Amino acid sequence: MKYSVIVPVYNVEAYLPKCVDSILACKNSDFELLLIDDGSTDNSGKICDDYVQKDSRVKAFHKKNGGVSSARNLGLDNACGDWIMFVDSDDWVADSFFDVPDSEADIIERPYSRIDMEGKILGNYKPAPSRIINEERYLFDFFVNERINVLWNKVIKRSLIGNARFNESVSVGEDFLLYLEIIKRVNRYEFSDKGEYFYLHRAGSAMSNIANERRIGILFENMEHIKSILDSSEYDELKNGIFCVSYFPLLCDYQKSMAGSVIADMKKVISEMASGSFRYVPFMMRIKVLIKNFTLHL
Protein backbone atom coordinates (compact mmCIF):
# COMPACT_ATOMS: atom_id res chain seq x y z
CA MET A 1 0.00 0.00 0.00
CA LYS A 2 1.33 3.41 -0.97
CA TYR A 3 -0.35 5.94 1.36
CA SER A 4 -1.75 6.04 4.88
CA VAL A 5 -3.87 9.08 5.76
CA ILE A 6 -4.30 9.62 9.51
CA VAL A 7 -7.22 11.74 10.73
CA PRO A 8 -7.66 12.29 14.49
CA VAL A 9 -11.36 12.79 15.28
CA TYR A 10 -12.92 14.45 18.31
CA ASN A 11 -16.42 15.98 18.40
CA VAL A 12 -16.37 17.23 14.80
CA GLU A 13 -19.64 15.86 13.45
CA ALA A 14 -20.32 19.13 11.60
CA TYR A 15 -16.99 19.06 9.75
CA LEU A 16 -15.95 15.42 9.41
CA PRO A 17 -18.03 14.45 6.33
CA LYS A 18 -16.52 17.25 4.23
CA CYS A 19 -13.03 16.19 5.31
CA VAL A 20 -13.54 12.49 4.57
CA ASP A 21 -15.46 13.07 1.34
CA SER A 22 -12.66 15.24 -0.03
CA ILE A 23 -10.13 12.47 0.58
CA LEU A 24 -12.30 9.70 -0.85
CA ALA A 25 -13.10 11.82 -3.92
CA CYS A 26 -9.47 11.73 -5.00
CA LYS A 27 -8.91 9.44 -7.96
CA ASN A 28 -6.68 6.96 -6.20
CA SER A 29 -7.34 3.55 -4.73
CA ASP A 30 -3.90 2.83 -3.33
CA PHE A 31 -4.41 4.32 0.12
CA GLU A 32 -5.95 3.67 3.50
CA LEU A 33 -7.80 6.28 5.53
CA LEU A 34 -7.43 5.81 9.27
CA LEU A 35 -10.11 7.64 11.27
CA ILE A 36 -9.07 7.73 14.92
CA ASP A 37 -12.06 8.53 17.15
CA ASP A 38 -10.53 10.01 20.29
CA GLY A 39 -13.48 9.38 22.62
CA SER A 40 -15.95 11.68 20.87
CA THR A 41 -19.19 12.40 22.75
CA ASP A 42 -21.15 13.51 19.66
CA ASN A 43 -21.91 11.50 16.50
CA SER A 44 -18.34 11.60 15.18
CA GLY A 45 -17.65 7.98 16.11
CA LYS A 46 -20.77 6.79 14.31
CA ILE A 47 -19.84 8.82 11.23
CA CYS A 48 -16.46 7.05 11.22
CA ASP A 49 -18.17 3.64 11.35
CA ASP A 50 -20.60 4.62 8.59
CA TYR A 51 -17.70 5.42 6.27
CA VAL A 52 -16.13 2.03 7.00
CA GLN A 53 -19.33 0.43 5.69
CA LYS A 54 -19.32 2.62 2.58
CA ASP A 55 -15.68 2.36 1.48
CA SER A 56 -13.16 -0.44 1.98
CA ARG A 57 -10.29 2.07 2.09
CA VAL A 58 -11.57 3.46 5.41
CA LYS A 59 -10.59 2.03 8.79
CA ALA A 60 -12.02 3.31 12.08
CA PHE A 61 -10.43 3.09 15.51
CA HIS A 62 -12.10 4.11 18.77
CA LYS A 63 -10.20 5.00 21.90
CA LYS A 64 -10.59 6.75 25.22
CA ASN A 65 -10.02 10.49 24.94
CA GLY A 66 -6.32 11.23 25.24
CA GLY A 67 -5.68 14.16 22.93
CA VAL A 68 -4.63 14.64 19.33
CA SER A 69 -1.12 13.26 19.85
CA SER A 70 -2.37 9.97 21.27
CA ALA A 71 -4.84 9.69 18.39
CA ARG A 72 -2.15 10.28 15.80
CA ASN A 73 0.13 7.80 17.55
CA LEU A 74 -2.57 5.12 17.34
CA GLY A 75 -2.79 5.91 13.63
CA LEU A 76 0.96 5.54 13.22
CA ASP A 77 0.88 2.23 15.11
CA ASN A 78 -1.64 0.87 12.60
CA ALA A 79 -0.51 2.53 9.37
CA CYS A 80 0.59 0.21 6.56
CA GLY A 81 1.40 2.66 3.76
CA ASP A 82 4.82 3.58 2.46
CA TRP A 83 3.97 7.28 2.93
CA ILE A 84 2.20 8.98 5.83
CA MET A 85 -0.14 11.96 5.51
CA PHE A 86 -1.86 13.79 8.37
CA VAL A 87 -5.20 15.55 7.94
CA ASP A 88 -7.11 17.41 10.64
CA SER A 89 -10.78 16.44 10.83
CA ASP A 90 -12.16 19.93 10.14
CA ASP A 91 -9.95 20.51 7.09
CA TRP A 92 -10.19 19.19 3.54
CA VAL A 93 -7.93 18.47 0.56
CA ALA A 94 -7.76 19.08 -3.19
CA ASP A 95 -8.45 16.25 -5.63
CA SER A 96 -4.72 16.24 -6.41
CA PHE A 97 -3.95 15.20 -2.82
CA PHE A 98 -2.44 11.89 -3.93
CA ASP A 99 -0.55 13.32 -6.89
CA VAL A 100 2.77 12.61 -5.24
CA PRO A 101 5.73 12.38 -7.62
CA ASP A 102 7.76 9.20 -7.67
CA SER A 103 10.71 10.30 -5.65
CA GLU A 104 13.61 9.31 -3.45
CA ALA A 105 12.61 12.07 -1.01
CA ASP A 106 12.06 11.45 2.67
CA ILE A 107 9.65 14.38 2.99
CA ILE A 108 7.69 16.25 0.33
CA GLU A 109 6.26 19.65 1.32
CA ARG A 110 3.12 20.85 -0.48
CA PRO A 111 0.87 23.93 -0.87
CA TYR A 112 -1.90 24.94 1.50
CA SER A 113 -4.51 27.66 1.98
CA ARG A 114 -5.95 28.99 5.22
CA ILE A 115 -9.72 29.53 5.04
CA ASP A 116 -11.97 31.30 7.55
CA MET A 117 -15.47 30.19 8.53
CA GLU A 118 -17.01 32.39 5.80
CA GLY A 119 -14.86 30.80 3.10
CA LYS A 120 -12.47 33.75 2.77
CA ILE A 121 -8.85 32.91 1.99
CA LEU A 122 -6.68 34.24 4.80
CA GLY A 123 -3.39 33.21 3.27
CA ASN A 124 -1.72 30.57 1.18
CA TYR A 125 1.61 28.96 0.53
CA LYS A 126 2.83 27.42 -2.69
CA PRO A 127 6.38 26.07 -2.78
CA ALA A 128 8.62 26.02 -5.82
CA PRO A 129 8.29 22.44 -7.16
CA SER A 130 11.81 22.37 -8.53
CA ARG A 131 13.38 22.95 -5.13
CA ILE A 132 15.30 20.06 -3.57
CA ILE A 133 17.37 20.05 -0.38
CA ASN A 134 19.79 17.16 -0.05
CA GLU A 135 22.64 18.53 2.07
CA GLU A 136 22.48 18.70 5.85
CA ARG A 137 23.71 22.31 6.17
CA TYR A 138 21.02 23.57 3.78
CA LEU A 139 18.39 21.39 5.41
CA PHE A 140 19.21 22.72 8.88
CA ASP A 141 19.26 26.30 7.58
CA PHE A 142 15.83 25.71 6.03
CA PHE A 143 14.55 24.18 9.26
CA VAL A 144 15.72 27.13 11.36
CA ASN A 145 14.66 29.96 9.06
CA GLU A 146 11.90 28.76 6.74
CA ARG A 147 10.15 25.77 8.22
CA ILE A 148 6.40 25.49 8.61
CA ASN A 149 5.90 23.54 11.83
CA VAL A 150 2.72 21.71 10.84
CA LEU A 151 2.85 18.22 9.39
CA TRP A 152 -0.42 18.31 7.46
CA ASN A 153 1.19 19.87 4.37
CA LYS A 154 3.85 17.19 4.19
CA VAL A 155 4.09 13.66 2.82
CA ILE A 156 6.46 11.63 4.97
CA LYS A 157 8.06 8.24 4.41
CA ARG A 158 6.83 5.86 7.07
CA SER A 159 10.33 4.38 7.30
CA LEU A 160 11.65 7.85 8.21
CA ILE A 161 9.23 8.11 11.13
CA GLY A 162 10.09 4.61 12.28
CA ASN A 163 9.40 4.32 16.01
CA ALA A 164 9.23 8.08 16.57
CA ARG A 165 5.92 9.19 18.04
CA PHE A 166 4.21 12.41 19.13
CA ASN A 167 4.95 13.43 22.70
CA GLU A 168 1.59 12.94 24.42
CA SER A 169 2.60 15.12 27.38
CA VAL A 170 2.97 18.19 25.14
CA SER A 171 -0.15 20.31 24.57
CA VAL A 172 1.38 22.93 22.24
CA GLY A 173 4.08 22.32 19.64
CA GLU A 174 3.76 18.55 19.35
CA ASP A 175 3.97 18.73 15.54
CA PHE A 176 7.23 20.65 15.73
CA LEU A 177 8.84 18.20 18.14
CA LEU A 178 8.10 15.17 15.95
CA TYR A 179 9.19 17.15 12.89
CA LEU A 180 12.47 17.91 14.66
CA GLU A 181 12.95 14.28 15.65
CA ILE A 182 12.67 13.03 12.06
CA ILE A 183 14.48 15.91 10.32
CA LYS A 184 17.75 14.58 11.74
CA ARG A 185 17.39 11.51 9.51
CA VAL A 186 16.35 13.26 6.29
CA ASN A 187 18.61 12.83 3.28
CA ARG A 188 16.37 14.43 0.69
CA TYR A 189 13.64 17.06 1.18
CA GLU A 190 11.50 18.00 -1.81
CA PHE A 191 8.69 20.42 -2.63
CA SER A 192 5.61 20.01 -4.81
CA ASP A 193 2.99 22.42 -6.14
CA LYS A 194 0.30 19.71 -6.13
CA GLY A 195 -1.82 18.19 -3.40
CA GLU A 196 -3.16 21.41 -1.88
CA TYR A 197 -4.43 21.29 1.69
CA PHE A 198 -7.21 23.56 2.99
CA TYR A 199 -6.88 24.55 6.64
CA LEU A 200 -10.04 25.83 8.31
CA HIS A 201 -9.28 28.66 10.72
CA ARG A 202 -11.96 28.21 13.38
CA ALA A 203 -10.61 30.11 16.37
CA GLY A 204 -7.43 31.34 18.03
CA SER A 205 -4.34 29.19 18.25
CA ALA A 206 -3.77 26.89 21.19
CA MET A 207 -1.32 29.39 22.68
CA SER A 208 -3.73 32.33 22.34
CA ASN A 209 -6.20 30.65 24.70
CA ILE A 210 -3.62 30.16 27.47
CA ALA A 211 -2.70 32.64 30.20
CA ASN A 212 0.73 34.28 29.86
CA GLU A 213 2.17 32.48 32.86
CA ARG A 214 1.35 29.12 31.35
CA ARG A 215 2.59 30.20 27.91
CA ILE A 216 5.96 31.02 29.43
CA GLY A 217 6.05 27.63 31.13
CA ILE A 218 5.29 25.91 27.82
CA LEU A 219 8.16 27.75 26.11
CA PHE A 220 10.67 26.58 28.70
CA GLU A 221 9.25 23.04 28.72
CA ASN A 222 9.47 22.77 24.93
CA MET A 223 13.02 24.08 24.97
CA GLU A 224 13.90 21.24 27.32
CA HIS A 225 12.25 18.78 24.93
CA ILE A 226 14.34 20.22 22.09
CA LYS A 227 17.52 19.80 24.13
CA SER A 228 16.56 16.19 24.74
CA ILE A 229 15.94 15.52 21.04
CA LEU A 230 19.16 17.29 20.00
CA ASP A 231 21.28 15.90 22.81
CA SER A 232 24.32 15.19 20.63
CA SER A 233 27.01 17.80 20.02
CA GLU A 234 26.59 17.35 16.27
CA TYR A 235 23.26 19.19 16.57
CA ASP A 236 24.50 22.13 18.66
CA GLU A 237 24.38 24.53 15.70
CA LEU A 238 20.86 23.46 14.78
CA LYS A 239 19.68 23.69 18.39
CA ASN A 240 21.05 27.19 18.93
CA GLY A 241 19.64 28.29 15.60
CA ILE A 242 16.16 27.16 16.66
CA PHE A 243 16.45 28.84 20.04
CA CYS A 244 17.72 32.15 18.63
CA VAL A 245 15.31 32.42 15.71
CA SER A 246 12.16 30.88 17.17
CA TYR A 247 12.33 31.12 20.96
CA PHE A 248 14.37 34.27 21.66
CA PRO A 249 11.69 36.66 20.24
CA LEU A 250 8.97 34.93 22.28
CA LEU A 251 10.97 35.11 25.49
CA CYS A 252 11.49 38.84 24.92
CA ASP A 253 7.78 39.35 24.26
CA TYR A 254 6.83 37.61 27.51
CA GLN A 255 9.57 39.14 29.68
CA LYS A 256 7.23 41.69 31.27
CA SER A 257 4.99 38.85 32.45
CA MET A 258 7.82 36.87 34.02
CA ALA A 259 8.30 36.47 37.75
CA GLY A 260 11.76 37.09 39.19
CA SER A 261 12.69 33.42 39.30
CA VAL A 262 11.70 33.00 35.67
CA ILE A 263 13.77 36.04 34.66
CA ALA A 264 16.75 34.20 36.13
CA ASP A 265 15.94 31.21 33.92
CA MET A 266 15.62 33.53 30.93
CA LYS A 267 19.06 35.05 31.65
CA LYS A 268 20.60 31.59 31.70
CA VAL A 269 18.91 30.52 28.47
CA ILE A 270 19.86 33.68 26.56
CA SER A 271 23.40 33.50 27.90
CA GLU A 272 23.63 30.00 26.42
CA MET A 273 22.28 31.33 23.10
CA ALA A 274 24.81 34.17 23.06
CA SER A 275 27.71 31.79 23.65
CA GLY A 276 26.48 29.20 21.14
CA SER A 277 26.94 28.86 17.39
CA PHE A 278 25.29 31.46 15.15
CA ARG A 279 25.80 29.44 11.97
CA TYR A 280 22.13 29.37 11.01
CA VAL A 281 21.14 32.66 12.68
CA PRO A 282 20.61 35.80 10.52
CA PHE A 283 23.03 38.63 11.27
CA MET A 284 20.51 41.05 12.80
CA MET A 285 19.14 38.34 15.07
CA ARG A 286 22.68 37.61 16.29
CA ILE A 287 23.06 41.27 17.25
CA LYS A 288 19.73 41.26 19.10
CA VAL A 289 20.67 38.16 21.09
CA LEU A 290 24.07 39.62 22.07
CA ILE A 291 22.58 42.97 23.08
CA LYS A 292 19.81 41.33 25.10
CA ASN A 293 22.32 39.10 26.87
CA PHE A 294 24.42 42.16 27.73
CA THR A 295 21.50 44.19 29.11
CA LEU A 296 20.16 41.29 31.16
CA HIS A 297 23.50 41.01 32.95
CA LEU A 298 24.04 44.70 33.67
Side-chain angles (χ1 to χ4, degrees), residues 245-259:
V245 173
S246 298
Y247 283 81
F248 170 76
L250 294 173
L251 290 171
C252 293
D253 286 345
Y254 292 136
Q255 183 178 351
K256 291 182 179 180
S257 302
M258 292 181 183

Side-chain angles (χ1 to χ4, degrees), residues 211-265:
N212 274 0
E213 183 178 354
R214 181 59 189 138
R215 294 187 198 188
I216 295 165
I218 289 171
L219 290 179
F220 281 103
E221 289 167 10
N222 283 5
M223 291 179 77
E224 290 302 313
H225 288 305
I226 292 169
K227 289 179 180 179
S228 177
I229 293 170
L230 302 178
D231 60 351
S232 171
S233 60
E234 66 182 300
Y235 301 120
D236 284 348
E237 294 174 333
L238 172 60
K239 178 174 61 181
N240 206 52
I242 294 168
F243 286 166
C244 290
V245 173
S246 298
Y247 283 81
F248 170 76
L250 294 173
L251 290 171
C252 293
D253 286 345
Y254 292 136
Q255 183 178 351
K256 291 182 179 180
S257 302
M258 292 181 183
S261 60
V262 182
I263 290 288
D265 293 335

Side-chain angles (χ1 to χ4, degrees), residues 89-253:
S89 53
D90 50 358
D91 300 338
W92 63 99
V93 302
D95 58 9
S96 61
F97 190 58
F98 292 106
D99 289 354
V100 180
D102 290 331
S103 170
E104 296 300 318
D106 297 299
I107 298 178
I108 302 174
E109 185 165 307
R110 304 194 292 175
Y112 70 85
S113 294
R114 294 172 59 245
I115 314 292
D116 69 12
M117 294 294 290
E118 285 71 46
K120 179 182 178 181
I121 297 177
L122 301 175
N124 51 44
Y125 164 73
K126 190 171 185 177
S130 60
R131 187 179 184 187
I132 297 171
I133 304 175
N134 54 13
E135 290 187 42
E136 184 179 89
R137 56 178 175 156
Y138 297 122
L139 180 65
F140 287 177
D141 184 76
F142 163 80
F143 191 83
V144 169
N145 293 293
E146 299 181 58
R147 74 176 187 277
I148 299 168
N149 287 340
V150 298
L151 295 178
W152 39 248
N153 77 321
K154 298 169 180 69
V155 188
I156 307 169
K157 273 189 177 177
R158 184 161 64 96
S159 59
L160 177 73
I161 297 175
N163 293 324
R165 293 295 183 267
F166 292 92
N167 188 328
E168 297 180 18
S169 70
V170 174
S171 58
V172 177
E174 67 281 354
D175 274 20
F176 167 70
L177 293 178
L178 182 68
Y179 189 15
L180 179 59
E181 177 68 42
I182 64 178
I183 204 72
K184 299 184 298 181
R185 301 192 289 270
V186 169
N187 292 311
R188 187 179 177 92
Y189 197 109
E190 294 187 7
F191 300 80
S192 172
D193 59 353
K194 294 183 178 179
E196 187 173 9
Y197 186 101
F198 299 96
Y199 170 80
L200 179 64
H201 184 80
R202 291 170 58 189
S205 67
M207 281 291 272
S208 68
N209 295 320
I210 299 173
N212 274 0
E213 183 178 354
R214 181 59 189 138
R215 294 187 198 188
I216 295 165
I218 289 171
L219 290 179
F220 281 103
E221 289 167 10
N222 283 5
M223 291 179 77
E224 290 302 313
H225 288 305
I226 292 169
K227 289 179 180 179
S228 177
I229 293 170
L230 302 178
D231 60 351
S232 171
S233 60
E234 66 182 300
Y235 301 120
D236 284 348
E237 294 174 333
L238 172 60
K239 178 174 61 181
N240 206 52
I242 294 168
F243 286 166
C244 290
V245 173
S246 298
Y247 283 81
F248 170 76
L250 294 173
L251 290 171
C252 293
D253 286 345

Side-chain angles (χ1 to χ4, degrees), residues 277-293:
S277 168
F278 286 145
R279 180 174 186 179
Y280 301 116
V281 181
F283 178 76
M284 288 307 300
M285 183 60 73
R286 302 178 192 182
I287 299 301
K288 290 178 181 179
V289 170
L290 293 172
I291 292 174
K292 188 67 174 180
N293 182 53

